[in-house]
Amino acid sequence: MVCAVVGVHIAVSLLAPRSFALTAFGDLTQTTLLLCGTIFTLWNVKTSDKKAQLFWALMALGSGTWLCTQVLWTYFEVYARQEVPNPFVGDVALFLHIVPMMAALAVRPNLQRNDHSLRLISVDFFLLLTWWLYLYLFVVIPWQYVSPNEAAYGRSFDLLYAAEQIFLIVAAAVVWRRSQGEWKTVYGQFVKAAAFYSAGSILAGVAIDYHLYYTGSLYDVPLVAAMTWFAGMGFQARSKSAAGTNQSPRQEQAMWTARLAMIAVFSTPLMVAWAEFGNGAPARVRSYRLLLTMCAMVFMGILVYLKQHWMDRELLHLLRLSRQNLDEMCKLKDELESKEQSLRWHSVELQRKNLELQEISFTDPLTGVWNRRYLEEILASESGQVLRNYERAQSGDLRKLEHRDLVFIMVDMDFFKEVNDVHGHPAGDRLLQRVAERLNRVVRKSDVLVRWGGEEFLIMSRSADPAGTPAFCERILEVIASETFDLGHGIQVRKTCSIGWAPFPWSRGAYEAICAEEIIELADTALYRAKAWGRNQGVGILPAESAATNAQAITVKLLQDDSGILTRNVKVQMPVFAREEDDKAANVLSSNESNG
């Protein structure tokens, strides 16, 4: 569309001679383009996003001010049919219409900002507007009203207007490079329009000063292109709905806008020095500029004070929020520490409960001693440790090896069924409890007492010397039969036990021949032999001298069926004095039962 409009204008400018018709064509074309641009930008103000509303409102203000200047120019040339006076009364509006566009760029609607940020941007906008107006009144107006000078006026206006447009182009290019999405397209159109407008206005200003410009000439081509691009920017944004924040939100403060505003404030003293000492301006001009600078400093000071007041209020608000957040964080920290402490306590309690549950699962509920499952849990590690000791000492003399063997001792109550048949199963359970108590008095702390099943108990003696096992078994026989068992409810019984045992390793010369589980089977075989040979005694199945020479042939089945070639049986009975005491006690008990 830009190419079509510019092409038509170039054709008319080249083909049509300088006349009222050409002037009317140029003025009406530019007025129409500016009117369309103002309408399109105002249409985009209807968006629901506040930042986009402010952006398009400022753009509409700049375009509308530009339109008013063009309407006034058209009035002189088309309606009044007279040459536009130089200096032109609408130059100040033409100069200031760029300031709202600068402020629109500072709004950056494609970025996420809070209301406080928009408020500060508004103050910065008024500071910049005041500064540009002050520059215009300082540089240009003296040669229009205070000390009229058409040449100085034209030169000052052109330089100041060119500086303002170059600043607009640079600002638009920076914003365009830092944007993305549909807003990048909008800013790109703005940069192109500003570039053409800058070129066209500079050319037109120079031509006016040299009395070469007339409306509808080729000098208007860049201006027409710029106006078309401004109108196209608003229309394209409306058609693509680039009225909201369609870019990924990110926090970014318009620091450069605030810095420029502060530079504008601090530049006023320099302007005073320039007005007083920098040029040869008439005294009236110097006095005017000094008075103007003082008024500008007062007004800018008021705006700076207002901005600082808002910033102080925002700072206090942020400090209160920070304090609240700190208090909340401390509260959350205390709650977190409390929860962590509670969690640690529950973790310790859970571990304790797990240990209790594990101990319960490994404990016989009737007698309170370890159960068969516990022995199965530790048997592999215990037997493995014994075998590793033998492997480390394999190169030396095994006979000098420290006693780190295991001995498995099976203990079974004699005629236990009679107690259940005569006194009932509760009495039998109490008898098992009393037996476990007596066995606990005999075994060492390092030994493991296990209820193997029924009335059978298993003792795994750690770090034992197999040679001392017969004496240990004698002690068990004595403890069980030495005194009666009080089963409650006036029930007292005297019981004996039978014992079978076997060491692990069974043969030091073949320590890997039989595993620990098979040794338990061998001890059970020894127990059956003790019962078969008269009960109330212990039998141990130990290796014979020939076992060392037939180590490869050793199996648990062979040892159970052996007739004395590889094995030897060791019998253990209670001492004679202990048996005599038991017989006397039994006679007394039977006599009491008969008298009763």
Side-chain angles (χ1 to χ4, degrees), residues 507-526:
S507 173
R508 289 194 170 189
Y511 57 85
E512 292 182 332
I514 303 177
C515 65
E517 290 81 358
E518 293 174 328
I519 292 297
I520 295 176
E521 295 181 21
L522 194 60
D524 193 54
T525 300

Side-chain angles (χ1 to χ4, degrees), residues 1 14 59 89 151 182 218 233 313 448 460 522 547:
M1 184 181 71
L14 292 175
M59 291 297 297
V89 68
E182 295 182 357
L218 293 177
M233 180 188 71
R313 289 181 58 185
V448 178
M460 185 183 73
L522 194 60

Side-chain angles (χ1 to χ4, degrees), residues 463-488:
S463 303
D465 182 4
T469 305
F472 182 58
C473 292
E474 288 180 1
R475 177 61 179 157
I476 295 174
L477 292 171
E478 182 182 354
V479 167
I480 295 298
S482 62
E483 54 183 297
T484 59
F485 291 94
D486 185 4
L487 305 182

Side-chain angles (χ1 to χ4, degrees), residues 52-64:
Q53 286 180 351
L54 181 59
F55 173 83
W56 292 114
L58 290 172
M59 291 297 297
L61 177 61
S63 181

Side-chain angles (χ1 to χ4, degrees), residues 113-423:
R113 294 194 180 96
N114 51 30
D115 295 337
H116 169 72
S117 177
L118 293 177
R119 187 184 304 151
L120 293 181
I121 289 175
S122 300
V123 177
D124 293 334
F125 161 67
F126 281 109
L127 279 171
L128 289 176
L129 177 62
T130 303
W131 186 66
W132 284 109
L133 178 61
Y134 163 73
L135 287 181
Y136 186 84
L137 296 177
F138 187 94
V139 176
V140 179
I141 289 299
W143 313 116
Q144 183 177 6
Y145 297 108
V146 180
S147 180
N149 187 328
E150 182 178 347
Y153 172 85
R155 183 171 59 254
S156 300
F157 180 85
D158 292 342
L159 290 176
L160 188 61
Y161 197 32
E164 184 185 31
Q165 290 171 335
I166 292 173
F167 182 85
L168 176 66
I169 295 173
V170 173
V174 171
V175 173
W176 170 70
R177 287 180 58 86
R178 295 182 180 180
S179 60
Q180 62 184 20
E182 295 182 357
W183 280 106
K184 190 176 184 68
T185 304
V186 173
Y187 293 140
Q189 296 283 352
F190 189 90
V191 171
K192 297 174 184 177
F196 274 96
Y197 178 62
S198 176
S201 60
I202 291 175
L203 288 175
V206 172
I208 290 175
D209 292 339
Y210 286 95
H211 303 284
L212 298 176
Y213 174 82
Y214 60 92
T215 304
S217 65
L218 293 177
Y219 292 107
D220 285 342
V221 172
L223 292 175
V224 170
M227 295 174 184
T228 307
W229 235 306
F230 275 118
M233 180 188 71
F235 180 80
Q236 187 176 16
R238 181 179 64 85
S239 61
K240 291 187 177 182
S241 301
T245 306
N246 50 23
Q247 178 181 336
S248 300
R250 55 189 175 96
Q251 297 293 336
E252 179 180 312
Q253 298 295 335
M255 295 301 297
W256 61 274
T257 309
R259 289 167 183 162
L260 288 176
M262 290 298 101
I263 291 174
V265 173
F266 289 115
S267 66
T268 51
L270 299 177
M271 299 298 292
V272 171
W274 179 57
E276 188 66 24
F277 308 105
N279 59 6
R284 294 177 59 189
V285 174
R286 292 199 302 271
S287 300
Y288 162 77
R289 286 176 171 174
L290 289 175
L291 180 62
L292 174 67
T293 302
M294 287 189 296
C295 295
M297 291 176 65
V298 171
F299 186 75
M300 288 184 179
I302 294 173
L303 292 178
V304 171
Y305 171 80
L306 182 61
K307 178 180 179 180
Q308 187 63 41
H309 174 68
W310 282 342
M311 291 179 66
D312 291 340
R313 289 181 58 185
E314 182 66 17
L315 180 60
L316 292 176
H317 176 66
L318 292 176
L319 289 175
R320 285 193 295 268
L321 288 180
S322 300
R323 182 62 183 177
Q324 293 176 1
N325 292 334
L326 181 60
D327 294 340
E328 188 68 21
M329 288 178 62
C330 292
K331 182 179 178 181
L332 292 176
K333 180 183 177 182
D334 294 338
E335 292 179 357
L336 181 60
E337 290 178 351
S338 177
K339 290 183 181 297
E340 288 180 350
Q341 184 176 1
S342 176
L343 183 60
R344 285 194 298 269
W345 183 86
H346 282 93
S347 178
V348 172
E349 186 68 14
L350 181 61
Q351 292 179 2
R352 188 180 66 83
K353 293 293 185 182
N354 288 335
L355 291 176
E356 290 180 358
L357 290 174
Q358 186 178 21
E359 186 175 352
I360 290 173
S361 66
F362 289 154
T363 304
D364 179 57
L366 177 62
T367 61
V369 300
W370 299 113
N371 58 18
R372 193 166 181 168
R373 180 182 175 187
Y374 176 73
L375 182 65
E376 294 172 352
E377 188 75 18
I378 66 171
L379 188 58
S381 61
E382 295 289 341
S383 60
Q385 182 63 42
V386 172
L387 294 178
R388 285 191 293 272
N389 291 337
Y390 274 84
E391 289 174 357
R392 285 193 292 267
Q394 188 175 11
S395 59
D397 189 357
L398 292 177
R399 292 176 296 179
K400 296 181 180 179
L401 183 67
E402 293 184 3
H403 298 301
R404 291 289 183 260
D405 297 355
L406 300 176
V407 178
F408 294 94
I409 303 171
M410 299 288 293
V411 180
D412 184 76
M413 300 303 298
D414 296 333
F415 304 109
F416 179 80
K417 187 174 182 298
E418 292 180 355
V419 178
N420 288 332
D421 294 341
V422 176
H423 302 289

